[in-house]
């Protein structure tokens, strides 16, 4: 299952169960731990995720944060959890204190429904007052899932996230300003339009009149833009043939229903993605599963196979590598970690497709 589907399914789970969850511990178990797992981390491996992490870095009094995610024994992100009924704003001071007691560059404050990510963009080693990235898991948007994917274990990179965080911070601030102005236009916002379309003096009566005009006009303009884009999308969509062989369609549906992407296949895919991300945008690496093997492909194109993982229903595990003629060679592997030993071949295959395109 791809990361996007994992997050959406978790959001559906939160929506269904939130009324039944009454305590902070239940929130952690039902919502937060599955969220950490969706990021590719093993919550039962103390080398990756440490519960009740001791934040005694230079502190007189030892404090404990709910979770710390580690990389090479060092915390890269700390997570403080609250009951899903709690208002997160009340707990900013607590996560702010913990941030300064560890070497982690990122802090996450969550109640299992809302997620606030913090770092130190404004002043080095001092956690910002506002999160650079926030979302509600029950209503998470496609773009937010893409931003969240940067925190996945397979592609976690501090510098990349910090660059994105800086842009997100100002982008979110602009969105908030626009949202407020569209709902209730301020005097400055209205005056901007009055100065450009009205020749007379901006008296109090004129400003009152234009406030409603601006609100209605802006609202209608946004509706028109959305409508135009929808029509363009519809007009550009080519009609597809509807004649299909019913028997073949049923057979294909039955075949696809038997396909189950296992956790081992996903872990193998994430390893391959982490190897290739230094050579290409990680979002171009996809997988397609079948009953017998899981293909890792470039640009979601079956004609650009990078490798195959033969892990289903077999006593032995194999990785299938492709040569310049796209001929596959199956190589036995003892564990998924053996995949790292074929990094050069994987990159060579990737570069072969890139050269063909050029």
């Amino acid at each position: 299952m791809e990361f996007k589907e994992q997050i959406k399914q978790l959001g559906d789970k939160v929506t269904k169960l939130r009324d039944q969850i009454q305590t902070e511990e239940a929130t952690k178990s039902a919502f937060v731990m599955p969220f950490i797992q969706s990021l590719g981390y093993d919550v039962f491996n103390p080398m990756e995720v440490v519960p009740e992490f001791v934040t005694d870095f230079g502190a007189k009094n030892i404090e404990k944060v709910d979770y710390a995610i580690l990389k090479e024994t060092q915390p890269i992100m700390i997570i403080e959890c609250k009951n899903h009924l709690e208002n997160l704003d009340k707990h900013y001071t607590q996560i702010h204190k913990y941030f300064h007691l560890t070497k982690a560059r990122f802090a996450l404050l969550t109640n299992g429904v809302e997620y606030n990510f913090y770092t130190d963009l404004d002043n080095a080693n001092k956690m910002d007052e506002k999160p650079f990235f926030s979302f509600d898991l029950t209503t998470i948007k496609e773009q937010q899932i893409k931003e969240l994917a940067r925190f996945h274990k397979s592609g976690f990179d501090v510098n990349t996230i910090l660059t994105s965080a800086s842009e997100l911070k100002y982008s979110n601030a602009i969105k908030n300003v626009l949202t407020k102005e569209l709902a209730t236009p301020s005097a400055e916002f209205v005056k901007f339009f009055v100065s450009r379309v009205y020749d007379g003096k901006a008296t109090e009566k004129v400003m009152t009149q234009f406030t409603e005009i601006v609100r209605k006009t802006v609202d209608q303009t946004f509706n028109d833009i959305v409508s135009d884009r929808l029509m363009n999308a519809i007009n550009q969509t080519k009609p597809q043939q509807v004649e299909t062989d019913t028997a073949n369609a049923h057979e294909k549906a039955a075949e696809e229903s038997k396909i189950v992407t296992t956790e081992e296949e996903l872990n193998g895919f994430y390893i391959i993605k982490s190897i290739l991300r230094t050579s290409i945008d990680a979002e171009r690496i996809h997988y397609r599963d079948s009953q017998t093997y899981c293909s890792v492909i470039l640009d979601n194109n079956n004609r650009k196979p990078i490798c195959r993982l033969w892990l289903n229903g077999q006593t032995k595990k194999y990785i299938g590598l492709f040569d310049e003629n796209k001929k596959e060679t199956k190589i036995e592997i003892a564990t998924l970690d053996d995949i790292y030993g074929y990094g050069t071949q994987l990159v060579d295959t990737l570069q072969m497709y890139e050269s063909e395109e050029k």
Side-chain angles (χ1 to χ4, degrees):
M1 186 186 302
E2 290 191 6
F3 178 67
K4 179 174 70 174
E5 293 305 316
Q6 286 182 300
I7 294 300
K8 288 188 174 181
Q9 283 192 12
L10 182 55
D12 292 339
K13 176 184 177 183
V14 171
T15 300
K16 293 176 182 178
L17 298 181
R18 63 195 302 178
D19 292 338
Q20 303 173 39
I21 303 299
Q22 302 299 323
T23 66
E24 183 177 306
E25 287 303 316
T27 300
K28 291 180 187 177
S29 299
F31 300 159
V32 180
M33 289 179 67
F35 175 78
I36 296 173
Q37 286 180 309
S38 71
L39 292 178
Y41 297 98
D42 184 353
V43 295
F44 302 108
N45 181 356
M47 298 300 292
E48 290 188 5
V49 181
V50 180
E52 295 295 306
F53 182 75
V54 177
T55 60
D56 59 348
F57 178 65
K60 295 181 180 179
N61 298 318
I62 293 178
E63 301 279 358
K64 292 182 180 179
V65 65
D66 288 321
Y67 298 101
I69 294 179
L70 307 185
K71 183 177 182 180
E72 297 177 355
T73 73
Q74 294 298 319
I76 55 176
M77 181 164 65
I78 57 173
I79 305 173
E80 182 62 20
C81 310
K82 299 300 171 187
N83 188 307
H84 73 94
L85 299 172
E86 287 283 326
N87 184 336
L88 293 181
D89 292 339
K90 297 191 302 182
H91 302 283
Y92 167 80
T93 302
Q94 185 178 8
I95 193 70
H96 180 274
K97 176 174 64 175
Y98 292 159
F99 183 83
H100 296 287
L101 298 179
T102 75
K103 295 181 180 180
R105 290 301 304 273
F106 304 102
L108 169 59
L109 178 60
T110 180
N111 57 14
V113 180
E114 300 172 14
Y115 288 78
N116 291 341
F117 288 81
Y118 296 87
T119 188
D120 55 351
L121 294 174
D122 295 333
N123 297 290
N125 304 318
K126 182 180 179 181
M127 196 179 90
D128 300 333
E129 291 185 6
K130 295 182 180 179
F132 67 87
F133 180 39
S134 298
F135 61 85
D136 184 317
L137 194 59
T138 63
T139 58
I140 191 167
K141 299 177 176 61
E142 294 285 337
Q143 185 58 40
Q144 291 174 323
I145 294 178
K146 290 182 180 180
E147 293 297 339
L148 180 60
R150 299 180 190 275
F151 289 91
H152 196 282
K153 177 185 174 182
S154 63
F156 188 98
D157 181 79
V158 172
N159 292 328
T160 299
I161 297 176
L162 287 175
T163 300
S164 173
S166 180
E167 181 178 330
L168 274 175
K169 173 186 174 182
Y170 295 109
S171 175
N172 290 334
I174 292 172
K175 286 180 182 178
N176 290 334
V177 171
L178 279 175
T179 300
K180 291 179 181 178
E181 292 289 1
L182 294 179
T184 308
S186 66
E188 293 82 359
F189 191 68
V190 175
K191 197 169 185 178
F192 170 83
F193 293 101
V194 171
S195 65
R196 282 160 174 74
V197 302
Y198 185 71
D199 294 330
K201 187 177 180 181
T203 63
E204 183 177 347
K205 182 179 179 181
V206 170
M207 290 293 291
T208 301
Q209 179 186 4
F210 267 88
T211 296
E212 185 60 19
I213 293 175
V214 168
R215 187 189 66 78
K216 288 182 178 179
T217 304
V218 170
D219 187 54
Q220 184 59 51
T221 301
F222 272 89
N223 288 337
D224 289 344
I225 291 173
V226 172
S227 178
D228 289 344
R229 289 186 176 180
L230 284 174
M231 289 303 299
N232 287 335
I234 293 172
N235 293 333
Q236 291 175 9
T237 302
K238 295 181 180 179
Q240 298 181 353
Q241 293 183 352
V242 294
E243 296 182 4
T244 58
D245 188 321
T246 304
N248 288 340
H250 283 305
E251 183 179 341
K252 183 178 179 181
E255 198 172 295
E256 290 179 347
S257 68
K258 297 177 183 178
I259 298 174
V260 178
T261 303
T262 65
E263 184 177 351
E264 190 174 36
E265 288 175 321
L266 281 175
N267 289 336
F269 168 69
Y270 291 138
I271 289 174
I272 294 166
K273 197 171 183 179
S274 68
I275 293 172
L276 299 177
R277 67 175 300 278
T278 58
S279 303
I280 198 172
D281 184 352
E283 292 187 1
R284 294 180 63 189
I285 310 300
H286 299 261
Y287 74 85
R288 288 190 187 176
D289 203 0
S290 66
Q291 291 187 49
T292 53
Y293 59 80
C294 181
S295 292
V296 180
I297 56 180
L298 177 64
D299 296 330
N300 207 16
N301 188 340
N302 276 333
R303 289 176 293 180
K304 296 181 180 181
I306 298 171
C307 69
R308 287 175 178 169
L309 297 173
W310 298 79
L311 307 174
N312 289 343
Q314 303 172 27
T315 55
K316 295 182 179 180
K317 298 179 176 65
Y318 299 88
I319 181 172
L321 301 176
F322 292 90
D323 60 17
E324 64 275 9
N325 298 315
K326 297 184 181 178
K327 180 180 179 181
E328 181 186 11
T329 301
K330 291 169 65 175
I331 302 172
E332 183 178 346
I333 56 176
T335 68
L336 293 181
D337 286 341
D338 291 346
I339 295 175
Y340 288 105
Y342 301 97
T344 301
Q345 292 95 315
L346 293 171
V347 172
D348 288 345
T349 302
L350 182 70
Q351 292 177 344
M352 175 182 71
Y353 295 127
E354 292 290 275
S355 299
E356 289 177 355
E357 290 183 0
K358 292 179 182 179

